[in-house]
């Protein structure tokens, strides 16, 4: 296989060639798609107009393999593109991500009109593989078995001017029985702290004011470099970067959540009072079957210590309902933890078989109707708690970072939307003074719903920021581009909002 060192930004493509990236799965895939966009733009492609829906010269599928029907979804989408490709000589289709790493040659066998298949470890090869497929007029399948170069060394086309993902590690050393991701992304590999901080400083210099540290098991950072306190040190180091206003991270594992990390969160002013920590189940029996290396008591102990150190922290989670062998008593234990932890929000989803995982072949698979009934009970409980917790915010004065595209009804209601320090979504009255995405406004909360807050009174203050300047500069540059080259495909790069109680997480944390 050719080394990644021959990746060249000078691939000979016409500047008019367009690309579209369709992203599925977790935050890792979202960030990988930013890199794929950066690679393609460096190679001369431009993003397809919004709503092109397969009319681009290159369509890239960045896939996920954690869902039972992930392959059906992919092949269905590929099938819909087949006649379009037949009508358009020169159009190319590429498939990457976890499903590509898993299925390899199967993709080309089932969909022979695909031009390129690449894996999770060699995304930097995409432009070269597309050119090779064009010249040789045959499909190129290239799957690396291990990481060729840390992905953050690749060019990146970040979707947000004011908020950015920063990957600190790739891979995972856990062996959860419901998750196939470690098999597809490999063992954990950590970046050097100096490289991470250099990237953060460069982003801040460009105008970014919020970063989200990203890892498959983000707080295990340091295991690969031999320093168990490395993650807490990294948080503190981010606190020393001038101009960096907000630091978040996702997703940690309870096994690796240590008191030095809690102290770093509490003592570093720009680390936000927010924690997303997957529970998966409240039952010790189910946690053992999942190979989750913690139990209910430890999990609740972490929650208690975080709240003692950071009283206003918003804690969110992931929960799987109906894991094989889950009894009614096991499920009641999950409800108990939800009541005790009082999560601000939760990703709750029904267990489904992931091909290639130990859980897929376990006995005592739970009937669909039982899983559905338990799921509905869990969602109802979490909705009630979310609303009660949000009502506690009414009357508080909060600083919001103005967000882009997060309030679907903002135009009709003449509001704007923003994120509180704890990442709660707040819709607020549009101020007389311009407030751009990335700017900071001060508001008083007047109303609470289960999944958002309202600030219906006048805005108390608007602080224009370098992040807002960066957003305005980017928008001006986009407006100056030729007609048809627009933002909006795909929606990648803006750190995830608090999960809705009925949303489905990938469950790989």
């Amino acid at each position: 296989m050719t080394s990644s060192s021959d990746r060249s930004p000078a691939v000979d493509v016409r500047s008019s060639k367009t690309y579209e990236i369709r992203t599925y799965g977790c935050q890792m895939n979202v960030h990988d798609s930013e890199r794929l966009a950066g690679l393609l733009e460096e190679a001369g492609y431009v993003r397809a107009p919004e709503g092109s829906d397969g009319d681009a010269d290159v369509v890239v599928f960045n896939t996920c393999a954690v869902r039972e029907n992930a392959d059906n979804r992919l092949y269905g989408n590929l099938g819909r593109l087949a006649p379009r490709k037949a009508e358009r000589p020169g159009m190319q289709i590429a498939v990457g991500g976890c499903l590509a790493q898993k299925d390899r040659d199967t993709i080309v066998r089932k969909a022979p009109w695909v031009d390129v298949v690449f894996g999770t470890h060699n995304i930097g090869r995409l432009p070269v593989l597309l050119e090779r497929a064009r010249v040789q007029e045959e499909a190129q399948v290239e799957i690396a078995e291990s990481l060729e170069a840390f992905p953050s060394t690749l060019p990146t086309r970040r979707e947000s001017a004011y908020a950015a993902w920063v990957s600190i590690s790739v891979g995972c050393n856990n062996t959860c029985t419901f998750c196939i991701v470690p098999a597809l992304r490999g063992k954990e590999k950590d970046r050097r702290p100096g490289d991470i901080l250099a990237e953060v400083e460069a982003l801040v210099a460009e105008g970014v004011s919020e970063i989200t540290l990203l890892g498959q098991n983000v707080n295990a950072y340091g295991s690969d470099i031999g320093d168990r306190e490395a993650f807490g040190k990294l948080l503190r180091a981010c606190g020393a970067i001038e101009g960096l206003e907000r630091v978040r991270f996702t997703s940690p594992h309870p096994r690796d959540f240590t008191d030095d990390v809690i102290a770093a969160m509490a003592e570093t002013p720009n680390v936000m009072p927010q924690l997303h920590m997957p529970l998966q189940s409240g039952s010790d029996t189910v946690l053992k079957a999942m190979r989750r290396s913690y139990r209910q008591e430890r999990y609740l102990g972490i929650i208690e210590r975080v709240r003692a150190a950071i009283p206003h922290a918003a804690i969110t989670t992931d929960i799987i309902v109906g894991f094989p062998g889950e009894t009614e008593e096991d499920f009641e234990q999950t409800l108990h933890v939800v009541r005790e932890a009082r999560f601000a929000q939760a990703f709750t989803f029904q267990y489904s078989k992931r091909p290639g995982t130990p859980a897929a072949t376990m006995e005592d698979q739970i009937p669909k109707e039982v899983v559905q009934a338990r799921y509905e009970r869990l969602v109802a409980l979490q909705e009630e708690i979310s609303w009660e917790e949000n009502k506690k915010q009414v009357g508080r004065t909060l600083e919001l970072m103005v967000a882009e595209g997060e309030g679907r009804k903002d135009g009709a209601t003449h509001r704007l939307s923003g994120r509180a320090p704890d990442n709660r979504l707040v819709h607020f009255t549009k101020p007389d003074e311009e407030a751009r995405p990335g700017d900071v406004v001060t508001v008083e909360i007047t109303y609470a719903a289960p999944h958002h807050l309202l600030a219906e009174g006048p805005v108390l203050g608007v602080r224009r920021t370098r992040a807002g300047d960066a957003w305005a500069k980017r928008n001006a540059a986009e407006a100056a581009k030729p007609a048809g080259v627009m933002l909006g495909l795909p929606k990648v790069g803006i750190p995830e909002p608090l999960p809705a109680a009925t949303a489905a997480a990938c469950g790989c944390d």
Side-chain angles (χ1 to χ4, degrees):
M1 184 179 66
T2 312
S3 167
S4 63
S5 62
D6 72 351
R7 178 183 62 80
S8 171
V11 175
D12 183 20
V13 297
R14 301 190 313 277
S15 61
S16 60
K17 280 196 171 183
T18 58
Y19 74 89
E20 173 188 343
I21 301 175
R22 301 185 186 185
T23 308
Y24 308 98
C26 66
Q27 298 96 330
M28 286 291 186
N29 274 15
V30 171
H31 194 25
D32 282 350
S33 286
E34 290 187 319
R35 298 184 181 114
L36 292 170
L39 286 160
L40 291 170
E41 293 192 6
E42 186 181 68
Y45 294 85
V46 294
R47 179 171 289 186
E50 186 171 359
S52 11
D53 191 24
D55 284 334
D57 295 297
V58 172
V59 179
V60 183
F61 291 86
N62 191 6
T63 64
C64 171
V66 303
R67 287 287 178 188
E68 184 177 19
N69 64 349
D71 53 349
N72 293 334
R73 184 178 186 185
L74 171 66
Y75 295 123
N77 286 325
L78 290 175
R80 282 187 285 276
L81 284 183
R84 194 168 301 180
K85 188 174 189 292
E87 295 169 358
R88 294 188 58 192
M91 179 183 178
Q92 291 183 296
I93 299 173
V95 179
C98 289
L99 193 64
Q101 187 80 21
K102 173 176 169 285
D103 284 359
R104 308 178 182 224
D105 297 322
T106 304
I107 294 173
V108 174
R109 189 175 71 249
K110 289 187 174 181
W113 54 93
V114 169
D115 299 277
V116 171
V117 178
F118 62 100
T120 59
H121 299 308
N122 62 331
I123 63 175
R125 299 279 296 156
L126 177 60
V128 166
L129 293 172
L130 287 168
E131 180 69 359
R132 188 187 297 166
R134 185 186 66 80
V135 171
Q136 298 182 5
E137 297 183 341
E138 64 179 13
Q140 302 295 310
V141 179
E142 188 171 284
I143 305 292
E145 297 301 332
S146 59
L147 195 66
E148 294 183 344
F150 204 94
S152 287
T153 63
L154 300 173
T156 302
R157 201 280 186 213
R158 297 185 185 273
E159 190 67 25
S160 173
Y162 59 90
W165 303 105
V166 175
S167 182
I168 69 171
S169 63
V170 294
C172 182
N173 295 335
N174 294 320
T175 58
C176 300
T177 54
F178 55 80
C179 184
I180 198 170
V181 170
L184 301 179
R185 289 193 174 265
K187 293 292 186 182
E188 181 177 327
K189 184 173 179 59
D190 297 334
R191 289 178 74 188
R192 289 162 43 92
D195 293 341
I196 297 169
L197 295 172
E199 180 180 356
V200 174
E201 289 171 350
L203 288 167
V204 172
E206 294 171 5
V208 168
S209 61
E210 177 178 308
I211 63 157
T212 300
L213 302 176
L214 185 62
Q216 209 74 53
N217 182 7
V218 70
N219 62 325
Y221 177 76
S223 62
D224 182 50
I225 57 179
D227 184 356
R228 288 189 58 82
E229 295 188 349
F231 185 64
K233 294 175 183 175
L234 182 62
L235 291 177
R236 293 181 186 275
C238 287
I241 297 176
E242 186 176 354
L244 180 59
E245 296 197 18
R246 296 185 172 192
V247 178
R248 306 186 191 277
F249 58 90
T250 193
S251 286
H253 193 294
R255 181 195 67 185
D256 302 298
F257 212 93
T258 51
D259 287 345
D260 67 291
V261 171
I262 297 174
M265 291 174 65
E267 296 166 10
T268 309
N270 64 356
V271 175
M272 294 294 96
Q274 173 213 353
L275 174 63
H276 181 77
M277 188 166 65
L279 169 66
Q280 308 302 11
S281 175
S283 162
D284 289 354
T285 301
V286 174
L287 289 170
K288 183 177 180 180
M290 290 177 167
R291 290 189 199 151
R292 301 286 287 180
S293 49
Y294 57 89
R295 299 296 179 259
Q296 180 189 119
E297 183 179 3
R298 171 166 171 73
Y299 187 95
L300 288 175
I302 294 171
I303 300 292
E304 183 179 357
R305 294 196 298 279
V306 169
R307 288 232 163 91
I310 315 167
H312 288 300
I315 300 174
T316 60
T317 196
D318 298 335
I319 301 173
I320 297 172
V321 178
F323 188 80
E326 181 188 73
T327 64
E328 178 62 24
E329 182 180 352
D330 292 325
F331 178 66
E332 287 290 345
Q333 288 299 307
T334 296
L335 297 181
H336 169 72
V337 174
V338 170
R339 293 187 186 99
E340 290 293 311
R342 299 196 64 80
F343 300 114
Q345 299 284 349
F347 278 120
T348 58
F349 61 105
Q350 301 177 39
Y351 172 78
S352 62
K353 292 181 180 179
R354 277 88 166 186
T357 63
T361 57
M362 285 182 176
E363 297 179 354
D364 298 324
Q365 300 284 329
I366 309 301
K368 171 65 177 175
E369 60 273 16
V370 174
V371 177
Q372 180 67 33
R374 289 176 182 170
Y375 174 78
E376 291 173 1
R377 289 162 58 196
L378 175 60
V379 168
L381 173 62
Q382 183 56 55
E383 288 274 308
E384 178 184 335
I385 292 172
S386 295
W387 200 357
E388 290 172 355
E389 291 301 307
N390 274 0
K391 287 176 181 177
K392 295 177 183 178
Q393 305 298 310
V394 173
R396 292 188 65 195
T397 299
L398 300 176
E399 279 199 338
L400 312 178
M401 183 175 289
V402 182
E404 181 176 29
E406 293 201 44
R408 295 190 303 273
K409 300 179 181 179
D410 282 352
T413 58
H414 303 291
R415 292 175 178 145
L416 296 177
S417 297
R419 291 282 168 181
D422 64 8
N423 212 30
R424 282 182 164 91
L425 177 63
V426 182
H427 306 300
F428 61 94
T429 302
K430 193 172 185 178
D432 295 333
E433 181 182 352
E434 182 186 25
R436 308 160 300 178
D439 287 339
V440 175
V441 299
T442 304
V443 301
E444 181 179 338
I445 304 303
T446 58
Y447 175 81
H451 305 302
H452 69 268
L453 303 171
L454 292 181
E456 299 165 298
V459 170
L460 303 178
V462 177
R463 175 165 62 86
R464 294 173 72 84
T465 65
R466 291 173 61 252
D469 294 342
W471 178 89
K473 182 179 179 181
R474 173 182 280 197
N475 267 29
E478 293 294 339
K481 286 184 177 181
V485 180
M486 303 168 61
L487 290 175
L489 276 176
K491 185 71 171 179
V492 301
I494 300 174
E496 286 292 311
L498 286 179
T502 56
C506 71
C508 58
D509 300 306

